[in-house]
Structures are given as C-alpha cells and as structure tokens.
C-alpha cells in the first residue's frame, strides 16, 4: 500500500494540447481534481471542447466514482497550478530548450514529494533532468493518443531518478487503468515510437517510389499485420509462423531473409513532391469526413477493440506483469 503521505490526490497538467487534454480527460474520468495551465489564448475553451468529445467514450469504458468534467480548474500562472499538486504531467511542445525551461519552473514551485512526469515522445529523461534542483523526481511518462482510451504509458527513469519515485509512478498510472511499461534503458524515442517510426519510414518510401498510395499502405496494415499485432504483437505473431516448433523454426526458415535488402532503414528526403503525395492521399481517402467525425469513429472502434484485447489476454500481457496493483 502506498504511503498515505505520498498518495496522488491532486494533479496538475501543464500544456493543454492534444496530449495534455487527453491526460485531463483520463484524470477527470478517474475521479481526480485537475489543475491546468496553458498560456495560449483560448486554451481553456479548447480543453473543454476536447473533454466533451472524449466523455462519451469514457462513459462506455466506465467512469470512476466522483468522475466529473467540472473538477477541472485553469490557473493563470504555472506556480499556482503546480504548487499543491502530487503529480504534475508536463506536455509542452517537443522542443528541448522549451521543455527544460518549463520543467525548471515546475521544479521550482512544486512541493518536494511531487512526481514530475514528462509526456515527451523522444527526449531522454537524463537530458530533461539536467539543471533541475530536484532531478530525482522527474521521469518520462509517455502516453499514446488518444490518452483517455489507450492504456499504454512508457515510464523511463533518468540517471538521477529516485527508484522510489518510479515505484510510486508505476503504482499511480496502474491505478488509473493504464498499462505502465517500464523501459529499462533510456534511449531517444523510448520503445513504441521507435517501432512506429521504422514502419512510418518504410511507408514513406513506398509512397515516394510509387509502389503504393497512402490508402493502399493503410489497407495493408488494417487488414493484415494490424489485426494480428493488436492481439499478439510482432514476436508472438512470428512465433506462430514457425508452426509447432514456434520461433525456433521460424528463425531457421525465414531468418536468412532478414539480410535481403527489402527495407530502407533511412527516411526518404521529405521533398515537396512527397509531402503533396502524402497530404493529397490522406485528404482523398478521408473524403468528406471531418477530423472530428474520424476521431469519434476511431474512439468507438478503440473502445470495442480494447475490450476484445483484454478478453483474450486478461492476465498474461508483458505490461500486466510489470504493473503494481492498487
């Protein structure tokens, strides 16, 4: 049981873009009071709209006792937002100097026992800890969009992170129905984004070389690999490909193909021509469907898919083994 003095009761969210608002929606749905700060004009109105859009999905997933959209308060300064918080989730744009500046302010005003989690998708925590007065309480807590539905959160410690902080963070994120995956070695891009980047680079090459359209690339994932990966991921999928002897036979039979020059590891030059192919392809594929309509459709799909994944892997996923239960 977590020490009552170190329980997370009040949460601050700094930066209310897509990811920040996703965090806010999840925290509110889990019954927390949330204090937010974002100096951008119209930020509060955009956040309210984002929460309203997310709420139907959260209702389907199941709201915690006390969940209320009105338990959100915006503060005019970062000091007022973080000074009484037990956990601060930082989500400012992915620019190193900006993040370090904002984190330094959070570090200066937060109470000593507060956990500081950065949603950075690529910067290593040791880099963000540099220059902080209390670097031991900063970790990377990187979620995936939409944060209020997708359960994965990558937790990464820096060289100065206190192990007790990581334990508390892991316990907290598990308590809000997430799957904390502790990355044992910090690296740029962490884990999941590095995997997605590899596929994204190859997809850009296929479009750039005229092999496939954006719609055809998407179809290849939707109706092929994506369906299998949603259940098992790449390793167990290939384990099945080896028949009765599993991965051992798969590597013996298909291992040599790894040396064939099928894939291009480096990203293609992002020329104006390639940009236009990608943009036009996506707009054509989307047709008259608005972004908001696509998000609603995506959310409904993910809520159902998440339930299906959980029904097939109720207690045996890798993240489940790493979760500290409430």
């Amino acid at each position: 049981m977590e020490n009552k003095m170190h329980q997370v009761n009040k949460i601050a969210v700094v930066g209310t873009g897509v990811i920040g608002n996703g965090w806010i929606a999840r925290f509110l749905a889990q019954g927390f009071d949330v204090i937010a700060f974002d100096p951008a004009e119209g930020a509060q109105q955009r956040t309210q709209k984002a929460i309203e859009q997310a709420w139907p999905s959260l209702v389907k997933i199941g709201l915690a006792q006390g969940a209320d959209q009105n338990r959100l308060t915006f503060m005019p300064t970062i000091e007022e937002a973080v000074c009484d918080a037990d956990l601060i989730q930082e989500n400012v744009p992915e620019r190193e100097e900006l993040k370090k500046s904002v984190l330094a302010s959070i570090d200066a005003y937060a109470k000593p026992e507060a956990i500081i989690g950065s949603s950075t998708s690529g910067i290593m925590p040791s880099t963000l800890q540099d220059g902080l007065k209390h670097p031991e309480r900063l970790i990377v807590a990187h979620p995936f969009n939409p944060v209020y539905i997708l359960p994965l959160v990558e937790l990464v410690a820096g060289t100065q992170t206190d192990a007790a902080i990581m334990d508390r963070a892991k316990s907290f994120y598990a308590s809000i129905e997430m799957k904390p995956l502790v990355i044992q070695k910090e690296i740029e891009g962490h884990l999941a984004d590095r995997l997605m980047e590899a596929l994204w680079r190859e997809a850009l090459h296929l479009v750039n070389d005229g092999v496939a359209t954006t719609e055809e690339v998407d179809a290849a994932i939707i109706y092929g690999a994506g369906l299998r990966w949603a259940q098992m991921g790449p390793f167990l999928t290939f384990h099945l490909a080896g028949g009765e002897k599993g991965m051992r036979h798969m590597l013996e039979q298909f291992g040599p193909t790894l040396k064939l020059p099928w894939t291009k590891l480096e990203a293609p030059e992002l020329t104006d021509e390639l940009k236009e192919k990608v943009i036009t392809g996506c707009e054509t594929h989307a047709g008259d469907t608005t972004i908001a309509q696509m998000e609603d459709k995506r959310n409904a799909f993910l809520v159902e898919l998440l339930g299906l994944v959980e029904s097939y892997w109720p207690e045996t996923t890798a993240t489940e083994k790493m979760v500290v239960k409430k």
Side-chain angles (χ1 to χ4, degrees):
M1 177 69 72
E2 193 176 4
N3 188 312
K4 288 186 177 181
M5 290 182 62
H6 289 161
Q7 284 183 343
V8 174
N9 296 310
K10 294 183 179 180
I11 298 173
V13 174
V14 176
T16 59
V18 172
I19 297 301
N21 287 336
W23 276 119
I24 291 172
R26 178 177 280 273
F27 293 144
L28 291 174
Q30 288 293 320
F32 286 92
D33 290 313
V34 181
I35 306 298
F37 171 75
D38 191 318
E41 185 176 351
Q44 187 168 352
Q45 290 74 24
R46 286 190 293 273
T47 294
Q48 191 58 50
K49 183 178 179 180
I51 293 170
E52 290 172 0
Q53 184 173 2
W55 210 253
S57 296
L58 290 164
V59 170
K60 289 182 181 178
I61 294 171
L63 300 176
Q65 185 175 1
D68 191 335
Q69 298 181 53
N70 296 317
R71 294 180 69 173
L72 170 66
T73 305
F74 266 77
M75 289 295 183
T77 67
I78 195 168
E79 178 179 3
E80 292 172 282
V82 308
C83 65
D84 198 34
D86 303 304
L87 180 137
I88 301 106
Q89 193 75 41
E90 171 272 313
N91 319 278
V92 300
E94 200 77 354
R95 299 196 298 272
E96 184 178 318
E97 290 309 311
L98 173 61
K99 278 193 176 288
K100 292 179 75 170
S101 174
V102 170
L103 287 168
S105 296
I106 293 173
D107 186 46
Y109 297 128
K111 56 188 182 182
E113 67 273 19
I115 299 170
I116 302 174
S118 174
S119 295
T120 178
S121 60
I123 305 173
M124 295 194 296
S126 292
T127 300
L128 297 177
Q129 288 175 332
D130 183 39
L132 297 184
K133 293 181 179 179
H134 301 286
E136 70 282 351
R137 58 178 174 169
L138 181 135
I139 63 168
V140 162
H142 173 233
F144 294 83
N145 185 43
V147 183
Y148 50 89
I149 297 177
L150 295 183
L152 182 64
V153 56
E154 295 178 321
L155 302 183
V156 194
T159 55
Q160 300 181 72
T161 301
D162 187 331
I165 290 291
M166 181 59 81
D167 288 341
R168 286 176 53 208
K170 187 166 62 172
S171 178
F172 167 71
Y173 289 109
S175 78
I176 60 170
E177 307 300 326
M178 299 193 84
K179 303 288 187 183
L181 181 61
V182 177
I183 310 302
Q184 301 298 329
K185 181 178 180 181
E186 63 175 329
I187 186 173
E188 294 92 343
H190 321 316
L191 176 58
D193 272 1
R194 292 179 73 93
L195 295 171
M196 289 189 289
E197 273 292 314
L199 180 60
W200 173 234
R201 287 194 296 270
E202 189 66 20
L204 287 175
H205 274 295
L206 292 170
V207 173
N208 191 51
D209 296 345
V211 175
T213 65
T214 58
E215 185 173 359
E216 289 166 345
V217 170
D218 284 351
I221 296 300
I222 292 169
Y223 300 111
L227 288 173
R228 298 183 298 182
W229 289 345
Q231 184 189 16
M232 293 187 179
F235 280 106
L236 283 185
T237 294
F238 281 131
H239 184 56
L240 289 184
E244 292 184 1
K245 293 184 179 180
M247 182 63 79
R248 184 176 301 279
H249 178 66
M250 201 286 294
L251 289 177
E252 289 173 357
Q253 183 170 352
F254 299 106
T257 64
L258 294 173
K259 292 187 177 181
L260 296 178
W262 284 358
T263 58
K264 300 179 179 180
L265 297 180
E266 293 186 2
E269 186 68 31
L270 199 56
T271 62
D272 290 341
E273 181 182 4
L274 176 54
K275 287 180 184 177
E276 201 55 39
K277 281 185 178 181
V278 172
I279 293 168
T280 302
C282 290
E283 290 177 345
T284 301
H285 190 187
D288 295 330
T289 308
T290 67
I291 293 295
Q293 289 170 333
M294 291 179 69
E295 288 177 341
D296 288 340
K297 196 172 183 179
R298 174 204 64 189
N299 290 354
F301 172 80
L302 288 176
V303 169
E304 290 191 39
L305 180 62
L306 186 57
L308 187 62
V309 170
E310 292 289 351
S311 70
Y312 275 84
W313 294 98
E315 297 177 353
T316 57
T317 62
T319 52
E320 195 73 31
K321 295 174 184 176
M322 305 175 94
V323 165
V324 176
K325 295 295 185 183
K326 288 189 284 185

